[in-house]
Amino acid sequence: QVQLVESGGELVQAGGSLRLSCEASGRTFSGYGMGWFRQAPGKEREFVAAISWSTGGTYYADSMKGRFTISRDNVHNTVYLQMNSLKPEDTAVYYCAASAQGVAGSSQFYRYWGQGTQVTVSS
């Protein structure tokens, strides 16, 4: 069983930066993949980025490359999402998720989810 808790979401000005954290508790395996998703009001949940616990290999949605960076600290079971050059359209609830099948861009592969953290980007 895995418990995920996101933090770091807040109000930020357009063009600014923000780092989200996802703390994982419970037993995890080297083959697990950790992902970030987001959901804006009235829109479907969208894949942002994913990372492998074991290798650190990353996978990004094309629209996120160059602005968002995912990383992990295996010692503290924490995954981060560094967001730069933020835009108002980045406003959403950001969710952390864990997949036993490794990194994936579809929410269908993720078994465990956090409750989300709100990111609001002002214009």
Side-chain angles (χ1 to χ4, degrees):
Q1 189 75 9
V2 177
Q3 298 287 331
L4 305 174
V5 180
E6 304 97 332
S7 63
E10 61 183 50
L11 174 66
V12 63
Q13 189 176 23
S17 299
L18 197 63
R19 188 173 79 160
L20 306 183
S21 298
C22 173
E23 297 183 2
S25 61
R27 189 173 183 84
T28 59
F29 301 94
S30 61
Y32 268 52
M34 301 295 296
W36 285 98
F37 294 78
R38 68 184 186 185
Q39 187 166 25
K43 297 184 178 180
E44 296 183 8
R45 186 162 48 192
E46 177 186 25
F47 171 73
V48 176
I51 189 168
S52 168
W53 276 117
S54 59
T55 69
T58 58
Y59 175 49
Y60 295 91
D62 288 341
S63 61
M64 311 299 172
K65 290 184 176 180
R67 294 197 302 125
F68 290 7
T69 303
I70 189 170
S71 62
R72 94 285 196 226
D73 180 350
N74 287 1
V75 174
H76 297 97
N77 292 327
T78 303
V79 178
Y80 303 98
L81 182 68
Q82 178 68 45
M83 304 184 293
N84 300 322
S85 301
L86 285 165
K87 306 173 182 179
E89 51 262 45
D90 293 319
T91 296
V93 177
Y94 284 71
Y95 297 92
C96 178
S99 169
Q101 288 75 40
V103 297
S106 172
S107 62
Q108 296 287 336
F109 294 95
Y110 292 85
R111 181 182 302 174
Y112 306 103
W113 295 81
Q115 62 182 325
T117 185
Q118 177 70 50
V119 172
T120 302
V121 184
S122 63
S123 59

